[in-house]
């Protein structure tokens, strides 16, 4: 049995391990130790087929291989055979060692990987679960990341060689700095001549040449002078080359930045477009500048009370007329959005422009939903036309400019966020066609905007005209003497460089040494060649080319950060947001205090009333008025017909009595009476009756409408609506047009009703007699009243009331007495006096000392005869109460003729039928049309803020309006401040 650790066992085991592990150094099985062979046969699969032989044997002998091994010694007496076996064992031992190193490396790699994975899993378990916060990252980011082709993006980025080309040559820069150092050390200034021998000595010393001795000959002096002149020219050339190289380097960097910004803009546009299309369906929040602009819009409509003033920042653009204000604003907005003119005033009212970034270059008015695409020329022209129309509409009659603000928002990729207000240009003289106070009005509008302590003043000065002609600089220096919130902009620099003999004057302007005003910064810009058809891109290219080749920038008169409208817009935007962050919280506190004051006043004066502003009060009044109109449709038919019948008879009764009944009653027989009545009724029906009936119906509708409104007014209604209701009623009635087509059908109905003479029963007869009696009694009372007024008081009134007759009444009284005696003598007298009868009456009166005119006699006779006739007609009416029998039997020769009763029955029946017809038209058509008119009037009044302000007035209304505005402003400011803090 082998002993563990023996040489033979170790050697046998290693041979077997080598065999089972697949080593190429195999030992014949016959040469193995008998124990090794037994083990080999046991684990080769014969002894235990369930266990893989190579794994068990390898595991067993691998553990044995870790024991220390010694080199084997050949047993004595083996000779060459032992030497061969020993060599084979050394080969196997070497192979085992090599295999051991290999598996150590492999095991280390596997173990290290397992340890790293375990450490990673432990750290992963320590981290929180972020799956709940996947909603923070919008879906379109993942989709956009999948859609972006990284290879194309990598190709789009500049190569390292291109970037290296853009970098300056540092060796040349080193040489230039060495040269400048030599110039400064020699006392030579840039662009000036070298003076003195010491300067020349230092210059030559710097260049490596030895200094000349003072004892040199004249030839050396001449050579020195030539070298000096050559050195000066070379120095200037090197200085110019240095400046040009620096300028080119700056322009290269500028182009590179512009290209990167353009690519960034395109990427941002893609992101914003994905957001705009709603790939993720969340609600897009308003931008910071939009929140701020809404606050300014509310403040522009708010009439501040209690010392609450609008001190929120905005950029106020002021300048002389035609100085280029609008062009500068268009360059900042990157679109030609304003109407243009040659020398005439185009900006007639303040225009507030809110600039913000967006996926599309569009513009929109505050009160309109239409978007103008600023990339299309048709939309640009429409936008300019709309701005011009709004300006002209805002200007009142007899004025040239207006203080009403037009609000416009412009969005687009890469636009700086800010709020600008373009004001009318300041003028020095009022020209023909302008109002006399135009100059003062423009000054007052400009001061009103600039006196805001937080307003940034963008002062535009025309560089192509003399600085002494400027008006706006004095105005700006008065409003901001320290220049803490003023930015000065010099426009038309290309014309200024061409026209000015001394370019140093431009340098004095942009350094603030020429004008008395002070400013935070000074800028020089070029806004085109003066053509209205130029595009923004062409203007930008022209501006860049001009400053690239301009001597103003090359000679150092202008600094690079002071030129181009792009640098200007960046500076203005930074200044704007700095001012906003410094002042907005203070302004929010001011409105908070104002809100507290207003709420306190309301609680003290109107403790039981809701805080309804003018719009809410109008809606309440509107509902009440519509309820009153609806009540018209609930009026009963009987009520309508009774009112219509009564009013129609009141309107036509005089004509019936005076022009139909009385002339016909003067006839001698019934045939003539009926003929006269039929003729006059036909004429009346054809010409007057339908029109009178429609007038009565329309007046009745108006009266009922007014009655319902008056009844609602008495039911605890708010008297603050009285003016509004009255205006609505008047305007609705004014707009209502009666259906004229009903007149023709009504004429036919009335004509048929008046032609009918057949009274079918006794109640109708009695009703006609009653109607006749009431009518005649009413006329008799009126006639007697007229006679009393003519003759004056009787003897009882004179004695009891101490009243006397006038001389004219005395004459009329005597005339009446004389004419009454005539009627007693001739009871069947006609309606007219004969001339001889007039003469007789006059002589009788003259015999009693009364001088009377024949006209007075006839006038008095008319009233007396009328009374006499009505009295006889009433007596005949009483007799006809029993005449229905004769009428029904058609007794023509009967002594009792009641044709007048039949006439009144015909009139009464016509009134009933007409009233019924008009009632149907009212309830079916006209009431609904009136209700529609009322709704239209209310809608028109609701859209007219000026009308509502005029009709709904009072301190209560104004206080509620102020409360609503202040609360809205405070809430908007708080939302803006919160968003501003988040952006920080």
């Amino acid at each position: 049995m082998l002993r563990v650790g023996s040489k033979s066992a170790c050697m046998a085991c290693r041979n077997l391990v080598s065999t089972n592990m697949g080593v190429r150094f195999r030992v014949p099985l016959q040469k193995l130790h008998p124990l090794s062979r037994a083990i080999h046969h046991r684990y080769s699969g014969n002894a235990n087929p369930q266990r893989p032989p190579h794994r068990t044997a390898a595991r067993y002998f691998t553990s044995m291989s870790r024991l220390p091994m010694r080199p084997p010694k050949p047993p004595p007496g083996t000779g060459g055979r032992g030497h061969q076996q020993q060599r084979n064992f050394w080969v196997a031992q070497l192979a085992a060692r090599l295999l051991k190193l290999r598996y150590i490396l492999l095991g280390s790699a596997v173990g290290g990987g397992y340890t790293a994975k375990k450490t990673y899993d432990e750290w992963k378990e320590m981290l929180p679960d972020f799956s709940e916060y996947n909603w923070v990252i919008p879906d379109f980011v993942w989709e956009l990341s999948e859609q972006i082709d990284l290879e194309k993006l990598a190709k789009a980025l500049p190569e390292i060689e291109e970037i290296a080309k853009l970098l300056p040559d540092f060796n040349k820069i080193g040489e230039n700095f060495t040269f400048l150092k030599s110039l400064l050390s020699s006392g030579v200034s840039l662009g000036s001549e070298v003076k003195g021998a010491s300067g020349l000595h230092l210059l030559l010393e710097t260049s490596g040449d030895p200094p000349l001795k003072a004892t040199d000959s004249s030839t050396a002096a001449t050579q020195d002078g030539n070298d000096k002149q050559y050195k000066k020219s070379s120095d200037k050339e090197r200085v110019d080359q240095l400046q040009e190289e620096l300028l080119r380097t700056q322009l290269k960097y500028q182009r590179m930045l512009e290209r990167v910004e353009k690519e960034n803009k395109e990427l941002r546009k893609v992101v914003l477009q994905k957001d705009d299309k709603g790939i993720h369906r969340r609600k897009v929040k308003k931008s910071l500048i939009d929140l701020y602009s809404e606050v300014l819009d509310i403040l522009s409509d708010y009439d501040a009370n209690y010392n609450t003033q609008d001190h929120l920042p905005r950029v106020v653009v002021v300048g002389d007329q035609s100085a280029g204000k609008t062009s500068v604003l268009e360059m900042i907005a990157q679109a030609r959005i304003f109407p243009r003119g040659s020398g005439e005033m185009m900006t007639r009212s303040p225009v507030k422009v809110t600039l913000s970034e967006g996926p599309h270059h569009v513009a929109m008015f505050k009160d309109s939903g239409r978007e103008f695409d600023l990339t299309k020329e048709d939309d640009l022209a429409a936008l300019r036309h709309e701005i011009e129309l709004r300006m002209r509409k805002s200007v009142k009659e007899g004025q040239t400019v207006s203080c009403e603000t037009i609000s416009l928002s412009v969005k687009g990729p890469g636009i700086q966020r800010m709020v600008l207000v373009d004001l009318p240009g300041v003028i020095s003289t009022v020209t023909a066609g302008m109002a006399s106070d135009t100059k003062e009005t423009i000054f007052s509008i400009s001061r009103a905007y600039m006196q805001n302590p937080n307003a940034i003043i963008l002062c535009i000065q025309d560089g192509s005209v003399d600085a002494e002609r400027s008006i706006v600089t004095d105005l700006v220096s008065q409003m901001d003497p320290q220049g803490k919130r003023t930015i000065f902009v010099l426009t038309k620099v290309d014309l200024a460089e061409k026209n000015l003999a001394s370019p140093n004057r431009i340098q004095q302007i942009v350094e603030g040494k020429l004008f008395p005003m002070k400013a935070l910064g000074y800028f020089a810009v070029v806004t085109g060649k003066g053509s209205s058809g130029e595009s923004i891109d062409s203007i930008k290219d022209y501006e860049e080319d001009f400053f690239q080749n301009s001597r103003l920038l090359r000679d150092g008169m202008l600094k690079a950060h002071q030129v181009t409208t792009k640098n200007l817009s960046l500076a203005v935007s930074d200044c704007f947001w700095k001012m906003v962050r410094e002042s907005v919280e203070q302004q929010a506190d001011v409105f908070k205090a104002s809100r507290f004051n207003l709420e306190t006043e309301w609680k003290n004066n109107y403790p039981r009333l809701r805080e309804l502003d003018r719009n809410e009060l109008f809606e309440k009044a509107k509902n009440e008025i519509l309820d009153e109109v609806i009540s018209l449709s609930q009026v009963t038919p009987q009520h309508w017909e009774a009112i219509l019948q009564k009013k129609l008879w009141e309107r036509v009764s005089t004509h019936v009595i005076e022009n139909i009944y009385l002339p016909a009653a003067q006839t001698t027989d019934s045939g003539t009476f009926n003929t006269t009545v039929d003729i006059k009724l036909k004429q009346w029906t054809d010409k007057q009756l339908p029109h009178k009936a429609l007038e009565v119906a329309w007046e009745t509708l108006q009266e009922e409408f007014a009655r319902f409104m008056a009844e609602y007014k008495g039911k605890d209604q708010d008297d603050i609506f009285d003016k509004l209701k009255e205006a609505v009623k008047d305007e609705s009635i004014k707009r209502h047009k009666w259906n004229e087509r009903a007149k023709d059908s009504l004429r036919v109905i009335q004509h048929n009703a008046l032609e009918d003479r057949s009274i079918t029963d006794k109640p109708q007869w009695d009703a006609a007699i009653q109607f006749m009696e009431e009518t005649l009694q009413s006329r008799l009372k009126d006639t007697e009243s007229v006679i009393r007024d003519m003759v004056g008081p009787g003897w009882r009134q004179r004695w009891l009331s101490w009243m006397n007759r006038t001389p004219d009444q005395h004459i009329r009284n005597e005339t009446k007495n004389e004419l009454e005696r005539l009627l007693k003598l001739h009871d069947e007298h006609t309606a007219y006096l004969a001339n001889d009868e007039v003469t007789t009456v006059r002589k009788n009166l003259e015999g009693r000392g009364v001088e009377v005119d024949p006209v007075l006699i006839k006038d008095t006779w008319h009233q007396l005869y009328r009374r006499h006739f009505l009295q006889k007609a009433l007596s005949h009416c009483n007799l006809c109460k029993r005449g229905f029998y004769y009428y029904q039997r058609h007794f023509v020769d009967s002594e009792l003729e009641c044709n007048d009763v039949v006439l009144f029955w015909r009139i009464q029946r016509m009134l009933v039928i007409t009233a019924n017809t008009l009632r149907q038209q009212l309830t079916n058509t006209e009431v609904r049309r009136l209700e529609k008119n009322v709704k239209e009037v209310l809608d028109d009044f609701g859209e007219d803020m000026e009308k509502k302000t005029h009709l709904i007035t009072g301190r209560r209304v104004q206080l509620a309006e102020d409360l609503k505005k202040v609360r809205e402003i405070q809430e908007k400011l708080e939302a803006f401040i919160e968003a501003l803090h988040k952006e920080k």
Side-chain angles (χ1 to χ4, degrees):
M1 187 174 183
L2 287 177
R3 181 172 54 89
V4 178
S6 66
K7 297 178 180 179
S8 299
C10 292
M11 189 62 65
C13 292
R14 293 191 178 275
N15 287 326
L16 185 59
V17 169
S18 301
T19 302
N20 290 327
M21 295 302 292
V23 182
R24 289 188 299 173
F25 299 97
R26 295 182 179 272
V27 180
L29 189 61
Q30 293 77 11
K31 295 182 181 181
L32 292 177
H33 192 275
L35 178 61
S36 300
R37 288 200 301 269
I39 295 173
H40 173 73
H41 285 298
R42 180 182 179 183
Y43 292 103
S44 61
N46 299 326
N48 188 3
Q50 296 179 355
R51 179 178 296 178
H54 63 277
R55 293 185 182 179
T56 307
R59 188 182 300 112
Y60 177 75
F61 287 106
T62 301
S63 63
M64 294 178 63
S65 66
R66 296 194 183 98
L67 299 175
M69 294 185 301
R70 297 175 185 177
K73 292 182 180 182
T78 57
R81 177 174 172 273
H83 178 72
Q84 180 67 27
Q85 185 177 3
Q86 183 180 3
R87 186 175 62 182
N88 291 335
F89 276 113
W90 277 107
V91 172
Q93 184 179 3
L94 178 62
R97 288 182 179 274
L98 292 175
L99 286 172
K100 179 180 180 181
L101 178 62
R102 172 177 161 184
Y103 284 110
I104 288 174
L105 295 176
L106 182 60
S108 300
V110 174
Y114 176 75
T115 305
K117 182 177 183 302
K118 186 176 182 181
T119 306
Y120 170 73
D121 292 337
E122 291 177 355
W123 278 94
K124 186 176 180 182
E125 292 176 358
M126 292 172 61
L127 293 175
D129 186 9
F130 290 99
S131 60
E132 298 179 358
Y133 303 97
N134 287 338
W135 61 271
V136 176
I137 302 177
D139 298 335
F140 77 92
V141 175
W142 306 113
E143 296 183 10
L144 184 61
S145 64
E146 296 175 359
Q147 294 177 7
I148 293 178
D149 193 347
L150 296 179
E151 295 181 359
K152 293 183 179 179
L153 183 62
K155 293 179 181 179
L157 295 176
E159 298 293 341
I160 189 67
E161 292 81 1
E162 297 180 3
I163 298 176
K165 291 179 182 179
L166 295 175
L167 295 176
D169 190 350
F170 292 102
N171 295 328
K172 291 185 178 181
I173 292 176
E175 294 176 3
N176 292 329
F177 275 109
T178 304
F179 172 68
L180 289 175
K181 182 178 180 182
S182 65
L183 290 180
L184 294 174
S185 62
S186 62
V188 181
S189 61
L190 294 176
S192 63
E193 297 183 354
V194 181
K195 297 181 180 180
S198 59
L200 179 60
H201 173 75
L202 292 171
L203 185 60
L204 292 175
E205 201 174 47
T206 305
S207 63
D209 295 334
L212 295 175
K213 297 182 180 180
T215 59
D216 286 344
S217 61
S218 60
T219 304
T222 304
Q223 184 67 28
D224 186 19
N226 292 334
D227 292 341
K228 182 178 179 180
Q229 293 295 330
Y230 174 77
K231 199 67 176 177
K232 286 197 299 182
S233 61
S234 64
D235 292 345
K236 290 183 179 179
E237 289 178 357
R238 293 185 67 180
V239 170
D240 292 340
Q241 291 177 359
L242 176 61
Q243 290 181 350
E244 290 179 0
E245 186 175 352
L246 290 175
L247 185 59
R248 284 196 299 271
T249 303
Q250 181 183 4
L251 291 176
K252 287 181 181 179
Y253 279 120
Q254 186 70 21
R255 290 195 186 98
M256 183 177 178
L257 288 174
E258 289 179 355
R259 187 172 65 177
V260 174
E261 287 180 356
K262 185 176 181 181
E263 293 172 357
N264 184 29
K265 184 189 299 184
E266 293 297 328
L267 290 175
R268 287 181 61 85
K269 185 176 181 180
V270 172
V271 174
L272 292 171
Q273 284 176 347
K274 294 289 185 181
D275 191 10
D276 190 50
K277 291 178 181 178
I279 294 178
H280 62 93
R281 300 295 180 180
R282 298 189 183 94
K283 184 178 180 181
V284 180
K285 294 183 179 179
K286 292 184 179 179
S287 64
L288 195 63
I289 192 65
D290 290 335
L291 291 174
Y292 187 75
S293 179
E294 287 181 358
V295 176
L296 296 182
D297 289 336
I298 297 172
L299 284 171
S300 64
D301 300 332
Y302 174 57
D303 184 15
N305 293 322
Y306 301 97
N307 298 322
T308 302
Q309 298 178 359
D310 177 13
H311 287 168
L312 290 174
R314 74 257 291 154
V315 181
V316 180
V317 186
V318 295
D320 298 328
Q321 183 177 345
S322 302
K325 305 187 316 303
T326 302
S327 299
V328 171
L329 191 55
E330 286 179 337
M331 291 294 291
I332 295 175
Q334 301 180 14
R336 309 297 295 269
I337 58 177
F338 290 104
R340 314 185 68 82
S342 57
E344 61 177 328
M345 178 181 293
M346 298 304 298
T347 306
R348 298 179 177 270
S349 65
V351 181
K352 182 178 75 66
V353 183
T354 303
L355 302 178
S356 61
E357 192 174 21
H360 307 288
H361 202 186
V362 296
M364 181 186 297
F365 290 99
K366 179 189 72 172
D367 54 353
S368 174
R370 179 184 177 183
E371 280 191 351
F372 297 87
D373 190 350
L374 302 184
T375 60
K376 298 179 180 179
E377 188 59 37
D378 293 340
D379 281 18
L380 279 171
L383 176 62
R384 291 192 289 265
H385 181 65
E386 181 67 19
I387 292 176
E388 185 175 2
L389 288 179
R390 287 174 178 257
M391 286 184 180
R392 296 186 180 277
K393 184 179 179 180
S394 65
V395 177
K396 297 181 180 179
E397 185 177 358
Q399 299 294 322
T400 306
V401 293
S402 169
C403 60
E404 183 178 342
T405 304
I406 298 174
S407 295
L408 178 70
S409 63
V410 177
K411 296 183 179 181
I415 296 180
Q416 298 297 320
R417 301 178 304 169
M418 66 185 94
V419 178
L420 303 100
V421 181
D422 186 21
L423 300 180
V426 178
I427 61 175
S428 59
T429 305
V430 177
T431 59
M434 294 184 179
S436 58
D437 61 343
T438 302
K439 179 179 178 181
E440 291 76 13
T441 304
I442 294 176
F443 269 84
S444 64
I445 293 174
S446 301
R447 288 194 185 97
Y449 277 90
M450 289 191 293
Q451 70 183 0
N452 178 1
N454 297 319
I456 301 169
I457 303 173
L458 196 62
C459 180
I460 309 298
Q461 171 63 32
D462 189 350
S464 64
V465 300
D466 295 334
E468 291 76 12
R469 294 169 57 186
S470 176
I471 305 174
V472 70
T473 52
D474 294 335
L475 180 61
V476 172
S477 61
Q478 293 174 6
M479 305 307 297
D480 185 23
Q482 301 299 323
K484 294 182 178 180
R485 49 189 181 89
T486 301
I487 297 177
F488 182 84
V489 182
L490 185 67
T491 61
K492 306 178 185 178
V493 183
D494 52 342
L495 299 178
E497 184 185 32
K498 185 188 300 184
N499 298 334
L500 289 179
S502 176
N504 293 328
R505 192 173 177 86
I506 297 178
Q507 184 178 5
Q508 292 178 351
I509 294 175
V510 297
E511 290 179 354
K513 298 179 180 179
L514 188 62
F515 291 106
M517 61 172 289
K518 299 179 181 179
L520 284 172
Y522 298 83
F523 290 86
V525 299
V526 175
T527 56
K529 300 178 182 180
S531 174
S532 60
E534 292 179 287
S535 64
I536 295 296
D537 293 335
S538 63
I539 295 175
K540 286 182 179 179
D541 295 338
Y542 173 72
E543 184 182 39
E544 181 180 344
D545 294 340
F546 168 77
F547 284 115
Q548 181 179 355
N549 302 319
S550 174
R551 55 176 297 192
L552 297 173
L553 197 61
R554 187 172 62 249
D555 295 345
M557 298 182 185
L558 294 176
K559 297 180 177 60
H561 68 272
Q562 289 183 306
V563 297
T564 70
T565 51
K566 183 175 183 179
N567 291 333
L568 171 64
S569 63
L570 290 172
V572 174
S573 178
D574 292 340
C575 187
F576 169 76
W577 285 107
K578 180 181 177 183
M579 189 73 76
V580 167
R581 289 185 174 92
E582 291 176 352
S583 61
V584 67
E585 293 188 2
Q586 180 182 0
Q587 293 301 310
D589 293 338
V590 172
F591 282 101
K592 186 176 181 180
S594 177
R595 174 179 176 176
F596 175 78
N597 295 335
L598 293 172
E599 289 177 346
T600 303
E601 182 180 356
W602 183 275
K603 291 177 182 178
N604 293 333
N605 295 325
Y606 312 102
R608 298 182 180 178
L609 296 178
R610 289 178 56 198
E611 299 168 2
L612 300 179
D613 60 7
R614 186 171 280 109
N615 291 329
E616 292 171 335
L617 289 172
F618 179 81
E619 290 299 323
K620 182 179 179 182
K622 178 179 179 180
N623 294 332
E624 292 184 4
I625 294 173
L626 291 177
D627 290 340
E628 295 164 6
V629 175
I630 292 175
S631 299
L632 280 175
S633 60
Q634 300 176 356
V635 178
T636 61
Q638 294 80 7
H639 180 76
W640 279 118
E641 292 182 8
I643 296 175
L644 289 170
Q645 186 174 348
K646 178 181 179 181
K647 288 186 173 298
L648 181 59
W649 176 239
E650 290 176 354
R651 181 67 59 86
V652 303
S653 60
T654 301
H655 181 84
V656 171
I657 298 299
E658 302 294 335
N659 298 326
I660 298 176
Y661 173 64
L662 289 179
Q666 304 298 322
T667 58
T668 57
D669 55 15
S670 61
T672 307
F673 178 88
N674 291 330
T675 303
T676 304
V677 166
D678 291 341
I679 294 173
K680 291 186 176 294
L681 286 177
K682 182 68 169 58
Q683 294 176 351
W684 183 46
T685 305
D686 292 339
K687 296 180 179 180
Q688 299 181 11
L689 183 58
H691 180 70
K692 294 288 185 180
L694 293 181
E695 286 183 354
V696 168
W698 175 224
E699 292 176 1
T700 303
L701 181 61
Q702 297 180 39
E703 291 177 2
E704 288 298 302
F705 181 39
R707 181 176 67 85
F708 275 101
M709 295 188 71
E711 289 180 357
Y712 270 84
K713 180 179 176 181
K715 296 179 181 180
D716 298 330
Q717 295 298 313
D718 201 335
D719 57 357
I720 205 170
F721 302 145
D722 291 348
K723 290 177 65 176
L724 175 62
K725 291 184 176 182
E726 191 67 23
V728 170
K729 184 192 74 173
D730 295 340
E731 183 66 22
S732 302
I733 292 173
K734 182 180 179 181
R735 293 185 184 184
H736 187 83
K737 300 295 183 182
W738 195 274
N739 188 6
E740 295 295 334
R741 291 181 299 177
K743 183 186 295 185
D744 296 333
S745 60
L746 182 62
R747 179 181 294 109
V748 175
I749 293 173
Q750 291 173 338
H751 182 72
N752 293 334
L754 290 173
E755 282 187 348
D756 189 7
R757 297 190 184 90
S758 58
I759 305 176
T760 58
D761 52 14
K762 186 69 166 53
Q764 293 184 15
W765 182 270
D766 295 338
I769 291 177
Q770 182 180 0
F771 175 61
M772 179 179 176
E773 284 182 345
E774 292 175 355
T775 302
L776 295 178
Q777 288 176 359
S778 175
R779 294 294 167 178
L780 181 60
K781 290 180 180 179
D782 294 339
T783 304
E784 289 178 349
S785 176
V786 172
I787 294 174
R788 284 196 299 270
D789 293 337
M790 291 173 59
V791 300
W795 64 269
R796 182 178 298 175
Q797 291 178 332
R798 292 198 303 270
W799 281 99
L800 297 179
S801 302
W802 295 87
M803 299 176 64
N804 294 319
R805 290 173 177 166
T806 62
D808 183 64
Q809 290 176 342
H810 177 71
I811 293 174
R812 285 187 176 275
N813 184 55
E814 294 296 331
T815 305
K816 180 184 74 78
N817 295 333
E818 186 67 23
L819 292 174
E820 284 178 346
R821 286 194 292 269
L822 179 62
L823 278 174
K824 289 181 180 180
L825 294 175
H826 304 280
D827 186 61
E828 299 296 331
H829 201 286
T830 60
Y832 301 98
L833 284 174
N835 292 330
D836 55 349
E837 292 177 331
V838 173
T839 303
T840 301
V841 172
R842 181 180 178 185
K843 289 182 178 180
N844 292 335
L845 292 173
E846 288 178 353
R848 294 198 296 271
V850 178
E851 294 291 334
V852 64
D853 186 62
V855 177
L856 187 145
I857 296 173
K858 292 181 179 180
D859 187 26
T860 306
W861 168 258
H862 176 72
Q863 298 298 331
L864 291 176
Y865 181 81
R866 181 185 182 87
R867 183 180 64 179
H868 174 70
F869 175 82
L870 292 174
Q871 290 173 350
K872 288 178 61 177
L874 281 172
S875 300
H876 180 71
C877 183
N878 291 327
L879 295 176
C880 287
K881 288 181 180 180
R882 53 185 179 85
F884 179 71
Y885 174 77
Y886 298 99
Y887 167 79
Q888 195 174 20
R889 296 296 185 273
H890 301 285
F891 290 154
V892 179
D893 296 335
S894 173
E895 296 180 356
L896 184 59
E897 295 181 355
C898 296
N899 295 319
D900 49 358
V901 175
V902 177
L903 170 63
F904 277 95
W905 178 84
R906 295 166 67 183
I907 297 294
Q908 187 181 32
R909 186 168 181 271
M910 182 272 298
L911 293 177
V912 173
I913 294 176
T914 302
N916 184 33
T917 304
L918 294 176
R919 189 265 305 167
Q920 293 180 9
Q921 185 176 359
L922 282 174
T923 55
N924 296 336
T925 306
E926 303 303 332
V927 171
R928 296 179 182 177
R929 292 180 62 215
L930 179 62
E931 182 178 352
K932 181 180 178 181
N933 289 337
V934 171
K935 290 180 179 178
E936 291 177 355
V937 171
L938 288 172
D939 292 339
D940 293 342
F941 284 5
E943 296 175 358
D944 191 348
M945 194 63 199
E946 184 177 354
K947 180 76 71 174
K948 288 192 290 186
T949 304
H950 175 69
L951 296 176
I952 305 177
T953 58
R955 177 56 190 163
R956 167 186 154 196
V957 181
Q958 191 61 44
L959 187 59
E961 285 283 311
D962 294 342
L963 261 174
K964 177 185 177 183
K965 290 291 185 182
V966 170
R967 284 172 179 164
E968 187 176 6
I969 293 170
Q970 184 188 359
E971 292 173 358
K972 294 286 186 182
L973 277 176
E974 289 176 352
F976 171 73
I977 293 171
E978 183 180 356
L980 187 65
H981 290 329
K982 289 182 180 179
E983 189 179 65
K984 289 182 181 180

